[in-house]
Amino acid sequence: MSTYTAPTEVDIPDIQPDFTAPFFQGSQVIASYILAGAMLVVLIMLIIAGAALAFRGLASDRVRTWAGENILWIFIAAAVLGAASGLFAWFVNFDFGF
């Protein structure tokens, strides 16, 4: 029968994870391009719909009908894309330069 004595102190080395995988930065760039492109498309749709509803002679009846039916969905899409862009920028440590 042997006796075992446990050490009173354990020296645990400091572990630093390495997040420099090459595909992380590339996927972040691709995702930011997709979000920015979608935001531009929604912004253009919002401008067209707002101008069609604001100025009667600017667009045809068909465009005004489309704008009236879909302007709420365009606002919702803009809000969702803006929130997704903000969360994405927060998760990848986007530097605003402040």
Side-chain angles (χ1 to χ4, degrees):
M1 187 160 143
S2 66
T3 52
Y4 177 71
T5 58
T8 57
E9 287 187 21
V10 177
D11 187 24
I12 300 173
D14 190 24
I15 298 172
Q16 295 294 328
D18 185 15
F19 295 111
T20 60
F23 67 91
F24 279 160
Q25 194 171 21
S27 62
Q28 289 173 2
V29 169
I30 291 170
S32 66
Y33 284 164
I34 290 171
L35 284 171
M39 286 289 287
L40 285 174
V41 168
V42 168
L43 178 66
I44 291 169
M45 288 172 58
L46 193 59
I47 290 171
I48 290 171
L53 291 175
F55 305 109
R56 188 174 192 103
L58 186 65
S60 67
D61 289 335
R62 188 170 179 181
V63 174
R64 282 198 316 263
T65 303
W66 170 84
E69 292 172 353
N70 295 317
I71 196 156
L72 180 62
W73 290 110
I74 297 170
F75 273 119
I76 292 170
V80 168
L81 282 171
S85 295
L87 283 174
F88 177 77
W90 183 65
F91 280 125
V92 298
N93 265 344
F94 184 74
D95 184 15
F96 289 103
F98 298 135

